[in-house]
Amino acid sequence: MARRVVAHCDIDAFYASVELRKHPELRGRPLVVAGSGPRAVVTTASYEARRFGVDSAMPAARARALCPQAVFLPPDFEAYSATSREVWGIVRDRIARVQQVGIDEAYCDVTEVERPLALLRSVVAEVRESTGMVVSVGVGPSRLVAKTSSAAFKPNAFAVLSREQACEHFAGSPARILQGVGPKTAERLAGAGFRTVGDLQRADEAALAGLLGERGARWLWRAAHFHDDSEVATRRGPAKSRSNETTFNEDIADHAELERVLVKMARELCEGLAGRDRAGRTVRIKVRLDDWTTVTRARTLPERTNDADVVCAVAVDLLRAYAPPRPVRLLGVGMAAFEDPEPRPAPARAEVGDGQLALPVEP
DNA sequence: TCTGGGGTCCTAGGACCC
DNA sequence: TCTGGGGTCCTAGGACCC
């Protein structure tokens, strides 16, 4: 296979940067974007606020304690998606193969581009010029090298590494920097003495298999050596599931109240599905109790539906069957199994002939 | 450190059928 | 009647991502 050139582009401090675009007078001040209510978490923090230890997903109250002088702003999701469309629109205008992953990052396959680095630099400059967003770029022979590099060198990064250079450069970094190694896996690995990427590079695959299973070990060993042949997927299929969930400001113990909330969410979900002309067979509810135990219950129906009455009845039934034993912190409802379970089998007769007739005929 | 919301993928076990 | 294997579907939970 031809040597690939993949770039990972990541907008620095995206949400905070959009807010700064709206409020230029706040430039230079620590900025924290957080939801409202007692259980809000931080959506993002500017680099100035990060210096105080503020990070996304942190409870907003803790962020206030860490950095009382920060300006706290409520999220403005419309502005975020508008800016996101603007940025990736510019990138797509200049680069053919782009896979957006999330609101603020994308992979670009620039293998076929004659001078890929020059193109990337000029796109980054154009994005900055017309939107004010600063994009960090990592370039390598794979998505993994590109992603790891942009993350490691940001903000305002432009890092180009070969696979071998990535192996060497990140050998001393924590295993956690490999995408796919989350907190749980990192902890298990550390327990067995694998703390850094280099530890994993030197590891015996069999030893890793004892921790992660054969597939997991194979994947991790390859990742530690920055082997990755996953494609930049320019076309994304339709969503496989959709859901609504809410964390209450205060835990709710009253089952009747929970059912009212569940029905309301299920109706909204069905409206959204109907608007997209989608219907699913599996109805799922999610319940998080006050002690953080999380339970899901699902039922698969014989036919696909987005009928609110049907979905609400199933959701309520699932909730009643579970009967939360403690006050509830979070309630959610979702639909899945949108596609036909199997491709429509070709009817036995006649179809073949019909199909052939439909083929274009050479003149 | 008392932890949002929206997704994806993987695993494991049980039911059921051939 | 018992045993076994393989395949598929479904459920539940967990890990991870942004």
Side-chain angles (χ1 to χ4, degrees):
Chain A
M1 192 173 76
R3 194 178 167 79
R4 291 190 303 157
V5 185
V6 177
H8 181 258
C9 302
D10 198 335
I11 306 174
D12 292 338
F14 173 67
Y15 300 101
S17 303
V18 177
E19 294 296 343
L20 273 179
R21 209 179 160 191
K22 283 163 53 189
H23 311 284
E25 73 279 7
L26 297 177
R27 190 162 296 280
R29 295 193 57 185
L31 212 63
V32 177
V33 179
S36 61
R39 279 160 173 177
V41 298
V42 172
T43 302
T44 197
S46 65
Y47 285 96
E48 288 81 2
R50 284 178 208 197
R51 279 204 281 276
F52 292 85
V54 178
D55 209 350
S56 50
M58 166 184 288
R62 182 165 153 71
R64 280 181 202 282
L66 282 171
C67 190
Q69 68 272 49
V71 178
F72 280 76
L73 296 165
D76 176 353
F77 293 108
E78 267 181 38
Y80 305 148
S81 44
T83 304
S84 173
R85 278 196 300 273
E86 222 180 316
V87 169
W88 302 119
I90 293 170
V91 174
R92 278 180 217 279
D93 280 348
R94 308 275 312 270
I95 299 174
R97 297 182 52 83
V98 177
Q99 177 189 8
Q100 197 182 330
V101 284
I103 198 164
D104 63 346
E105 59 180 273
Y107 292 95
C108 306
D109 188 326
V110 284
T111 305
E112 304 295 328
V113 175
E114 202 167 320
R115 295 178 59 219
L117 300 187
L119 174 64
L120 288 163
R121 283 192 192 277
S122 112
V123 171
V124 166
E126 187 181 336
V127 166
R128 189 166 191 161
E129 172 85 16
S130 46
T131 71
M133 296 295 115
V134 178
V135 175
S136 278
V137 181
V139 185
S142 65
R143 290 171 26 130
L144 182 61
V145 173
K147 164 93 184 171
T148 314
S149 305
S150 72
F153 294 101
K154 77 191 346 264
N156 198 14
F158 197 97
V160 186
L161 270 74
S162 67
R163 188 191 69 81
E164 294 79 4
Q165 285 171 323
C167 282
E168 202 183 321
H169 188 272
F170 297 115
S173 303
R176 185 75 174 77
I177 66 154
L178 299 172
Q179 196 186 27
V181 176
K184 300 284 181 182
T185 307
E187 201 176 322
R188 288 177 76 180
L189 291 171
F194 305 113
R195 289 191 169 72
T196 66
V197 173
D199 291 339
L200 294 170
Q201 289 170 354
R202 290 181 294 273
D204 179 30
E205 215 179 298
L208 295 178
L211 294 170
L212 306 173
E214 214 144 301
R215 273 174 72 113
R218 181 84 198 119
W219 166 81
L220 183 58
W221 190 90
R222 281 173 53 82
H225 290 87
F226 290 91
H227 285 294
D228 165 34
D229 44 29
S230 65
E231 292 286 320
V232 174
T234 47
R235 278 185 320 186
R236 221 177 92 102
K240 295 180 175 171
S241 67
R242 298 199 70 89
S243 61
N244 271 358
E245 62 183 61
T246 317
T247 295
F248 306 123
N249 287 340
E250 284 173 20
D251 302 333
I252 297 178
D254 177 6
H255 287 192
E257 172 69 13
L258 289 171
E259 284 181 20
R260 279 193 291 276
V261 176
L262 188 64
V263 163
K264 185 163 172 283
M265 287 197 297
R267 290 202 176 277
E268 286 168 7
L269 181 71
C270 287
E271 272 173 35
L273 290 175
R276 292 176 163 80
D277 203 21
R278 306 218 65 191
R281 284 181 59 218
T282 303
V283 181
R284 185 181 303 275
I285 65 162
K286 176 173 167 181
V287 182
R288 177 125 71 210
L289 306 178
D290 63 346
D291 65 354
W292 201 256
T293 49
T294 305
V295 166
T296 61
R297 291 290 183 269
R299 184 175 304 160
T300 298
L301 309 172
E303 309 244 318
R304 294 191 290 157
T305 184
N306 56 24
D307 183 317
D309 291 336
V310 174
V311 174
C312 288
V314 174
V316 165
D317 207 40
L318 290 169
L319 182 63
R320 285 187 185 164
Y322 171 53
R326 304 177 57 95
V328 171
R329 177 191 183 90
L330 171 152
L331 194 58
V333 59
M335 288 288 279
F338 292 140
E339 311 309 326
D340 274 326
E342 47 194 308
R344 200 176 293 273
R349 262 172 348 100
E351 180 78 358
V352 172
D354 290 342
Q356 283 174 345
L357 283 176
L359 286 174
V361 179
E362 293 289 329

